Amino acid sequence: MKKLLVLLVLAVSTSSFSQILEPVKWSTSVERISDTEYKLISKASIEPKWHLYSQDVPEGGPIPTTFAYDVSKGGFKTIDKTIEPEGHTVDDPVFDMKIKFFEDEAIFEQNIEVTGATDVVYGTVEFMVCDDSRCLPPETIDLVFNIPGKSGLQLGNDQPKGIFDPVKWQTSVKKVSDTEYDLLIEATIDDGWHLYSQEVPEDGPIATTFTFDNSAAGFTAIGKTLEPEGHTVDDPVFNMKIKFFENVASFTQKIKLTKDINEVRGTVDFMVCNDERCLAPTTIDLVFPLNSNAVSNIATTDDKATSNIDNVEVNNILYGMDTSDIRLSDVKCANELVSNASEVKKTGKSLWSIFGLGFLGGLLALLTPCVFPMIPLTVSFFTKKSGQSKGSGISKALLYGFFIFAVYVLLSVPFHLLDSVNPDILNEISTNVWLNVLFFAIFLFFAFSFFGYYELTLPSSWTSKTTKGESAGGLIGIFFMALTLAIVSFSCTGPILGSLLAGSLTADGGAWQLTAGMAGFGVSLGLPFALFAMFPNMMNALPKSGGWLNTTKVVLGFLELALAFKFLSNADLVEHWGILKIEPFLIIWIVIFGGLALYLFGKIKFPHDSPIKKLSFTRISFAILVAAFTVYLASGFRVNKDTKTFTPLTLLSGLAPPVGYSFIYPNDCPNNLSCFKDLKSGIEYAKKVNKPIMLDFTGYACVNCRKMEEHVWPLAKIDKYLRNDYVLISLYVDDKKELPEHEQIEVNRVNGGTRKLENYGHKWANFQTQFFQTNSQPYYVLLNSDGTQILNEAVGYTPNEDAYAQFLECGLEVSKSTSK
């Protein structure tokens, strides 16, 4: 006991001369077990190096953690004792006893049985914490548990089918001084879901937004709401930097009171996504009681019970139909897709495909004047060197090839070091607007180097140092020979390596993709030296050096030039500059590849070109192929009379801007499809043309919706259904356009409470939950032409082409059967 008193005295004395320490944050939540049983969950988030002690500590030890629940008001009773996590048990040298403690996080669970009409359970927790140098005095805080019932969100098995609620919010208050407080808001996020930052670029996901009601003028907010560090990535779908949070996110708003008030109210507006779906933007109320240290969990619905609003009347006003008007078809197709087919595929390139591209880049580098002439010279040096056996020469040539591979792999190592410092750093510099502009400039520079207007060289001192290293002999000498080759051939390999670097940084894989590309490049470059050393007679089949080597460089220069404008197009799309729309992009590429065709036909010359006496068959063949591709590019200006847009070119998918991004034929619908953004007008048109309907519940800020539209819908097997067989009605659940006044009405929520519809996003989100009992996007429903019959099981995110085609074919089959 004396030891504990000494520690407490030290704690009080040190805390009085330093900052107030608060190493434990408490939050509460409730999990429903049955109609009468609930689990009260108290979570302690503990700062690093601090220890929270168990509920069972021997006498004379630290103060144990103790929970108490206020049963004086009745309405519930506790079942057994509070359960605690496993923790760590050690022989403490200070207290000279075995002590159990928790670090980082501790979750305590207390089961209760509700015996009456109770909505809230109050409790307290008393605890103390220590680190290696101090202990803090015991502290008691209040705990508040909101019991979900008829007036709130039903948890567990009672949650309506398809209604997701992946974020739980808690609020608490920390008193800083007599007039200043910190309003603390904690979001607990289910695994796999992302909550977005308060600062998201325009046209990105919906940002988390806090609003504090100071209409009563009882306080003023000091500064902006602080948020955690989170994760920042360059999103390949939105083409922008996006910051998000996962697991837990804590926000803090400092306020100063201007008069005596008991509470502060506010709201939080947010959206969340996972790898399969996004949810419609949600707004919930926040309450901060200023006269207590209580923490409180907040349900994402209104606390009031469902009102007497007539759903039938409301739905007829908003949608011209009621939920009973839509029924599931009795007809089944042969191969109905009965799941939401939420298979997740990586959109980024695999490491093996990156390795393959690197290997191809190495082959191109071999066919340049910087590398190709080195092959017979180096192999001859190793196999014919005096004083060594043939076997020894071959082994050294093999080592030489291996060291070439090793040199290029080593070049990727610094990027792994960056990755270990900050795992997001490579993502943070990818597909960034200004990075794309930088790549545009670099690729222009590379292109004119390949054209022969200047040489890219590394400092001559580097070459001289590596050449000296060759004299060391043995393994070290061979390694320096490989390094010398990498340096002297940089004028040809540099632009190709630059392309690999750009491709890796603008994809989803960072340092490992760069390593895979470099490994492929090194294998391709080093393999010939090893291969020809083992089989010298094969060198007789090599073509002789000549003007064709420079021709290869110039061809690569044209390709670099085309890629440069691809990067500029990326930046233009993100920033909506309106410079490189589809028309100027196609014109530039036509000029580039038309120029390449003229060069191959010998009509254009560059500084290092040799005189052409006669065009070879190979050169003529390539020239015809490039000319045909140029004509193909020109065919992109053909107008599709059905869609009134330019014809999309399949070979340019992912390279050229969308054809809807046009000066002459702009189009608002994905992939130039005809679509409706209003339910009633879409159904009227479907009746007129007697075609089934695809309801597309989507959002402007829905990542997974864009993935479907950009990667699945354009596929030929899918496009034919959407373009020819269905009427597409896209309903955006995050559309902020204000509703007409007569539609701004109060509606019932499917999971309790009410809400007022203010914009079209609210209207379509309400339609989805009322009629289809789900709140996630993307969500696809197939209806007959009058919108009264669901043709088959609806699906969500379905990246598998065959599964999605099966879903559409099934709906079409049922539609034809029922129409007969």
Side-chain angles (χ1 to χ4, degrees):
M1 188 66 181
K2 290 180 180 178
K3 295 175 183 176
L4 176 59
L5 289 174
V6 171
L7 288 173
L8 292 179
V9 169
L10 287 173
V12 173
S13 62
T14 55
S15 62
S16 61
F17 293 101
S18 61
Q19 78 273 22
I20 298 175
L21 298 173
E22 191 181 7
V24 180
K25 303 289 192 305
W26 290 89
S27 60
T28 64
S29 59
V30 178
E31 181 180 319
R32 188 176 191 196
I33 301 172
S34 68
D35 290 340
T36 58
E37 291 188 7
Y38 295 85
K39 183 181 293 181
L40 309 183
I41 301 171
S42 304
K43 186 173 80 171
S45 298
I46 309 163
E47 291 182 0
K49 299 182 180 179
W50 288 89
H51 292 165
L52 173 71
Y53 293 96
S54 167
Q55 299 174 94
D56 298 312
V57 174
E59 187 177 352
I63 301 296
T65 300
T66 306
F67 292 91
Y69 304 94
D70 184 6
V71 297
S72 61
K73 297 179 182 178
F76 77 96
K77 62 181 181 180
T78 58
I79 303 174
D80 297 327
K81 64 178 184 178
T82 303
I83 300 171
E84 66 182 22
E86 183 176 352
H88 306 275
T89 301
V90 298
D91 277 305
D92 192 282
V94 177
F95 290 102
D96 195 22
M97 61 178 65
K98 283 188 176 182
I99 296 177
K100 179 180 176 181
F101 64 86
F102 314 107
E103 56 186 4
D104 299 330
E105 181 181 276
I107 297 176
F108 302 85
E109 299 175 348
Q110 174 65 59
N111 288 353
I112 66 166
E113 180 182 353
V114 175
T115 57
T118 181
D119 293 327
V120 181
V121 171
Y122 295 96
T124 60
V125 57
E126 182 185 20
F127 65 98
M128 75 172 284
V129 287
C130 298
D131 67 5
D132 292 336
S133 61
R134 77 199 101 175
C135 289
L136 301 186
E139 184 178 358
T140 301
I141 73 163
D142 296 325
L143 304 173
V144 181
F145 304 89
N146 291 326
I147 303 299
K150 293 181 180 178
S151 61
L153 178 64
Q154 298 296 313
L155 302 178
N157 295 330
D158 288 339
Q159 183 168 307
K161 179 183 177 182
I163 302 297
F164 295 91
D165 182 28
V167 182
K168 306 296 187 297
W169 295 88
Q170 293 90 31
T171 62
S172 58
V173 177
K174 178 182 177 182
K175 188 173 183 178
V176 180
S177 68
D178 290 340
T179 59
E180 291 186 353
Y181 292 83
D182 284 341
L183 308 182
L184 308 176
I185 309 141
E186 182 176 271
T188 303
I189 308 159
D190 288 353
D191 288 344
W193 291 87
H194 292 163
L195 173 72
Y196 293 97
S197 167
Q198 299 174 92
E199 297 179 3
V200 174
E202 189 177 353
D203 296 329
I206 301 298
T208 300
T209 305
F210 295 95
T211 305
F212 300 93
D213 181 13
N214 60 357
S215 57
F219 71 95
T220 56
I222 302 174
K224 64 180 183 179
T225 305
L226 302 179
E227 66 182 23
E229 184 178 349
H231 305 275
T232 301
V233 299
D234 270 301
D235 192 279
V237 176
F238 286 105
N239 277 329
M240 61 177 66
K241 282 185 180 178
I242 295 178
K243 179 180 176 182
F244 64 84
F245 313 109
E246 54 188 5
N247 299 326
V248 176
S250 300
F251 304 86
T252 304
Q253 175 63 59
K254 187 177 290 293
I255 65 166
K256 183 175 184 179
L257 300 187
T258 56
K259 67 179 184 181
D260 190 17
I261 56 176
N262 294 323
E263 66 178 26
V264 172
R265 289 184 173 269
T267 60
V268 57
D269 186 53
F270 65 98
M271 77 172 284
V272 287
C273 295
N274 65 8
D275 289 337
E276 300 174 12
R277 56 181 67 90
C278 290
L279 304 186
T282 304
T283 301
I284 69 166
D285 295 326
L286 304 173
V287 181
F288 305 87
L290 300 181
N291 55 2
S292 169
N293 286 327
V295 293
S296 177
N297 56 301
I298 302 167
T300 54
T301 59
D302 296 333
D303 290 333
K304 55 188 176 182
T306 302
S307 69
N308 293 322
I309 295 172
D310 187 339
N311 277 348
V312 175
E313 181 183 353
V314 166
N315 288 335
N316 275 295
I317 291 172
L318 293 170
Y319 315 113
M321 64 176 74
D322 184 48
T323 54
S324 60
D325 296 335
I326 299 181
R327 66 189 186 281
L328 182 63
S329 173
D330 294 330
V331 179
K332 302 294 181 183
C333 56
N335 297 304
E336 181 173 1
L337 185 65
V338 294
S339 71
N340 68 353
S342 57
E343 175 189 352
V344 179
K345 287 187 176 181
K346 296 291 184 183
T347 56
K349 298 170 183 174
S350 70
L351 294 181
W352 281 111
S353 63
I354 294 290
F355 178 89
L357 289 175
F359 190 86
L360 180 61
L363 290 178
L364 291 174
L366 279 172
L367 302 179
T368 60
C370 313
V371 181
F372 189 82
M374 301 290 292
I375 297 175
L377 292 175
T378 307
V379 171
S380 177
F381 171 80
F382 283 120
T383 57
K384 297 180 181 179
K385 188 175 181 181
S386 61
Q388 69 175 19
S389 65
K390 182 180 178 181
S392 175
I394 292 175
S395 63
K396 289 183 177 179
L398 290 174
L399 276 174
Y400 181 69
F402 171 76
F403 282 137
I404 290 174
F405 160 79
V407 164
Y408 287 104
V409 170
L410 286 172
L411 289 174
S412 69
V413 170
F415 291 91
H416 286 277
L417 298 178
L418 289 174
D419 230 358
S420 65
V421 174
N422 177 4
D424 296 326
I425 194 167
L426 294 179
N427 281 327
E428 290 175 7
I429 62 175
S430 70
T431 55
N432 170 280
V433 172
W434 299 113
L435 185 68
N436 275 284
V437 173
L438 178 63
F439 281 149
F440 166 70
I442 290 173
F443 273 58
L444 280 182
F445 185 71
F446 285 163
F448 283 92
S449 168
F450 273 147
F451 290 153
Y453 291 107
Y454 44 79
E455 289 289 329
L456 293 175
T457 57
L458 295 175
S460 58
S461 59
W462 292 18
T463 308
S464 60
K465 287 180 180 178
T466 57
T467 304
K468 289 179 181 178
E470 294 175 16
S471 61
L475 292 178
I476 296 176
I478 296 173
F479 172 78
F480 277 103
M481 285 184 67
L483 188 58
T484 302
L485 174 70
I487 293 173
V488 298
S489 64
F490 180 77
S491 61
C492 295
T493 59
I496 299 173
L497 289 173
S499 303
L500 273 177
L501 175 62
S504 298
L505 291 181
T506 55
D508 238 356
W512 280 112
Q513 284 195 341
L514 183 58
T515 297
M518 287 293 196
F521 189 90
V523 167
S524 182
L525 209 59
L527 188 61
F529 294 96
L531 192 63
F532 290 125
M534 289 189 292
F535 308 101
N537 291 334
M538 290 178 60
M539 285 196 295
N540 296 328
L542 283 177
K544 294 182 179 180
S545 300
W548 66 271
L549 291 173
N550 190 69
T551 301
T552 304
K553 276 187 68 175
V554 172
V555 170
L556 289 174
F558 278 102
L559 295 179
E560 296 275 332
L561 195 59
L563 286 175
F565 285 95
K566 160 59 186 166
F567 286 108
L568 186 60
S569 171
N570 286 347
D572 178 70
L573 278 170
V574 172
E575 288 296 313
H576 305 290
W577 291 331
I579 301 171
L580 267 186
K581 293 190 176 184
I582 187 65
E583 294 93 343
F585 184 90
L586 283 178
I587 290 170
I588 290 171
W589 270 44
I590 288 169
V591 171
I592 291 172
F593 285 95
L596 176 55
L598 290 174
Y599 171 75
L600 292 173
F601 279 121
K603 304 300 180 183
I604 299 176
K605 299 283 187 182
F606 285 94
H608 298 301
D609 281 329
S610 304
I612 301 175
K613 297 178 181 179
K614 182 182 178 182
L615 294 176
S616 66
F617 174 78
T618 303
R619 184 161 180 156
I620 292 174
S621 299
F622 274 110
I624 293 173
L625 187 64
V626 173
F629 181 70
T630 306
V631 173
Y632 174 76
L633 291 173
S635 71
F637 285 112
R638 289 179 299 134
V639 178
N640 186 318
K641 293 181 180 179
D642 295 329
T643 61
K644 295 183 180 179
T645 61
F646 292 120
T647 303
L649 300 176
T650 306
L651 293 180
L652 265 64
S653 177
L655 293 173
V659 291
Y661 187 52
S662 165
F663 287 111
I664 304 173
Y665 298 107
N667 193 299
D668 285 337
C669 296
N671 306 312
N672 317 302
L673 295 168
S674 296
C675 70
F676 293 86
K677 295 184 179 179
D678 176 72
L679 182 67
K680 292 179 181 177
S681 58
I683 291 176
E684 287 174 4
Y685 179 77
K687 289 179 182 177
K688 181 180 176 181
V689 298
N690 194 28
K691 288 184 179 181
I693 295 165
M694 185 172 90
L695 282 185
D696 165 32
F697 289 100
T698 183
Y700 294 109
C702 172
V703 178
N704 310 289
C705 305
R706 298 294 84 74
K707 289 179 181 178
M708 288 294 294
E709 292 165 6
E710 293 176 8
H711 302 299
V712 179
W713 287 13
L715 299 173
K717 186 186 291 188
I718 306 302
D719 181 78
K720 67 176 184 178
Y721 288 113
L722 301 182
R723 196 173 299 280
N724 303 320
D725 300 319
Y726 284 95
V727 173
L728 176 62
I729 303 177
S730 296
L731 305 178
Y732 289 80
V733 298
D734 55 2
D735 187 347
K736 298 298 184 183
K737 183 181 177 183
E738 193 173 284
L739 281 169
E741 190 171 343
H742 73 278
E743 292 189 358
Q744 294 186 24
I745 55 180
E746 200 88 5
V747 298
N748 289 320
R749 295 180 187 265
V750 296
N751 49 8
T754 65
R755 72 179 298 187
K756 183 179 180 181
L757 306 183
E758 296 178 352
N759 55 48
Y760 279 93
H762 293 165
K763 177 180 177 178
W764 302 132
N766 180 69
F767 177 62
Q768 184 183 8
T769 55
Q770 291 284 346
F771 285 71
F772 304 105
Q773 294 291 293
T774 187
N775 64 339
S776 66
Q777 297 81 41
Y779 193 70
Y780 306 107
V781 184
L782 302 183
L783 303 173
N784 63 349
S785 58
D786 62 6
T788 60
Q789 195 173 77
I790 301 174
L791 301 177
N792 58 350
E793 189 79 17
V795 301
Y797 178 57
T798 312
N800 184 287
E801 177 186 1
D802 293 332
Y804 199 64
Q806 180 186 340
F807 161 69
L808 295 171
E809 175 60 33
C810 173
L812 199 60
E813 180 183 325
V814 174
S815 174
K816 291 176 180 177
S817 299
T818 54
S819 64
K820 291 178 182 179

